Amino acid sequence: MRTVVAALALAATALGLAPAVASADDPEFPRNGIIPPGTYLISRNPSNVVGSPIENCELQVFVDGRTANLVCGGSFRAGHQTPVGTDETYVAFDGLPVGLDLRDIDPRQGIWSGTLNIANTPIIAPYPLAGVTLLRRN
């Protein structure tokens, strides 16, 4: 009986420590779906056969974990990201009805993939029509 109690106590301790280990600060690996700070080049996703109006633009993500700007040529649109899962975030831009629904593909390499969405909703455009890939530049 003591062995069973000891095993249960050990298992409970291990499970109690797991979230602390998983949430440890690692700037290279996003937590809670937050795109890490940096500048990301937006390119066409391989499944996108149409192209994208934001292709070759940049997404600038700031250290506050929320602010994100879309920069296209000489213009920019302020915005913010809202995590919606451990590997997903919505990026909405001020004054625009559409945003981005992004998922991490390889966060250590700064690679995210997604598509356009109705801002801050799970309603997305099909990848063959609007899929994008983000690659961290810095």
Side-chain angles (χ1 to χ4, degrees):
M1 183 68 166
R2 285 185 185 178
T3 306
V4 172
V5 172
L8 289 174
L10 182 60
T13 302
L15 290 174
L17 292 177
V21 172
S23 66
D25 282 338
D26 182 352
E28 292 298 314
F29 206 163
R31 298 154 310 280
N32 300 323
I34 296 174
I35 300 173
T39 300
Y40 296 79
L41 175 65
I42 301 172
S43 61
R44 182 187 319 188
N45 186 284
S47 65
N48 183 337
V49 296
V50 177
S52 171
I54 59 172
E55 195 171 337
N56 296 318
C57 294
E58 291 181 342
L59 183 68
Q60 298 172 338
V61 180
F62 294 85
V63 294
D64 66 2
R66 180 159 169 76
T67 305
N69 291 336
L70 178 65
V71 179
C72 294
S75 66
F76 96 102
R77 180 73 65 159
H80 62 276
Q81 66 173 315
T82 305
V84 292
T86 58
D87 68 345
E88 183 178 12
T89 190
Y90 296 152
V91 181
F93 303 103
D94 298 345
L96 292 180
V98 296
L100 296 169
D101 180 348
L102 300 170
R103 295 178 182 269
D104 67 15
I105 299 301
D106 187 345
R108 291 193 181 275
Q109 298 297 317
I111 301 172
W112 289 69
S113 182
T115 188
L116 296 178
N117 69 347
I118 295 177
N120 291 318
T121 73
I123 301 170
I124 63 170
Y127 275 75
L129 299 178
V132 295
T133 300
L134 276 67
L135 180 60
R136 186 173 53 223
R137 286 187 164 182
N138 60 2

